[in-house]
Amino acid sequence: MNLGSDSSARNNYALAMLRIGVGIFFLIFGQYKVFGTAFTLHGGFQFWINKFLEGGTYPFMAPILRGFVLPHATSIAFLVAYGELAIGIALALGILVRSASFCGLIFMLTMLFSSDYPGPRAAFWQYFGASLSHSVFALCFVAFLMGRADSAWSVKAQWKNRAGASGNENQ
């Protein structure tokens, strides 16, 4: 692979590498939840929600977590598990990247407000420090939404290249 000096191609490959890396993380996050039962059926999800409520959630999220999420915990646990796996597959393969990125961004914002609250007396900068585990992924999803993250090293790019090659052969 010779990237040469074409900055557009270099940016496409850099974004593709980031997309694939984030996809692999989400494959890892999702696979143990989907293929195991601890998170979805044996209280793993509820454990984390209760842990967030004990001291890590933004105050406006507490009623949502208590009043909606916990009563529907099993259904939401399956949504989270299969959602993470679907996001991972889509990003790693480069299919439906914008849709997966939109869902990933919503998920990361939900996680950020559910779990990254540093407390009411924290300095302003501590809100950002507390959110690194989710805000960095959120920024990646924004980049995938804004850019053409599927233009290199993706199933979509392979289909496009194959269609172009077969079109040239028929001429």
Side-chain angles (χ1 to χ4, degrees):
M1 166 185 67
N2 181 9
L3 295 179
S5 63
D6 181 10
S7 65
S8 177
R10 292 170 58 122
N11 288 341
N12 289 341
Y13 285 110
L15 197 55
M17 186 176 295
L18 182 61
R19 183 201 81 229
I20 292 167
V22 170
I24 290 169
F25 276 117
F26 272 78
L27 282 171
I28 293 166
F29 298 155
Q31 65 81 26
Y32 83 87
K33 293 171 184 158
V34 167
F35 297 115
T37 58
F39 183 81
T40 52
L41 296 175
H42 294 106
F45 179 77
Q46 292 89 327
F47 168 81
W48 284 106
I49 297 302
N50 284 313
K51 189 171 174 117
F52 298 160
L53 286 167
E54 287 173 13
T57 189
Y58 279 77
F60 68 89
M61 283 298 287
I64 296 168
L65 294 175
R66 280 192 189 95
F68 180 76
V69 174
L70 282 175
H72 302 96
T74 302
S75 300
I76 295 172
F78 276 100
L79 179 66
V80 167
Y82 282 91
E84 286 181 352
L85 189 65
I87 290 167
I89 291 168
L91 294 180
L93 296 178
I95 52 175
L96 299 171
V97 171
R98 285 208 164 104
S99 298
S101 297
F102 178 77
C103 293
L105 176 62
I106 298 301
F107 180 53
M108 286 300 102
L109 291 175
T110 303
M111 290 297 297
L112 187 146
F113 293 125
S114 296
S115 65
D116 294 335
Y117 184 58
R121 293 180 183 83
F124 182 69
W125 64 268
Q126 288 177 317
Y127 287 87
F128 297 101
S131 75
L132 285 176
S133 61
H134 299 108
S135 61
V136 171
F137 280 120
L139 290 172
C140 289
F141 290 127
V142 168
F144 303 153
L145 283 166
M146 292 176 62
R148 293 186 35 185
D150 58 358
S151 64
W153 297 333
S154 68
V155 171
K156 180 180 175 181
Q158 288 299 315
W159 286 337
K160 189 175 177 180
N161 289 342
R162 225 176 239 160
S166 66
N168 289 339
E169 291 173 4
N170 294 332
Q171 291 179 1

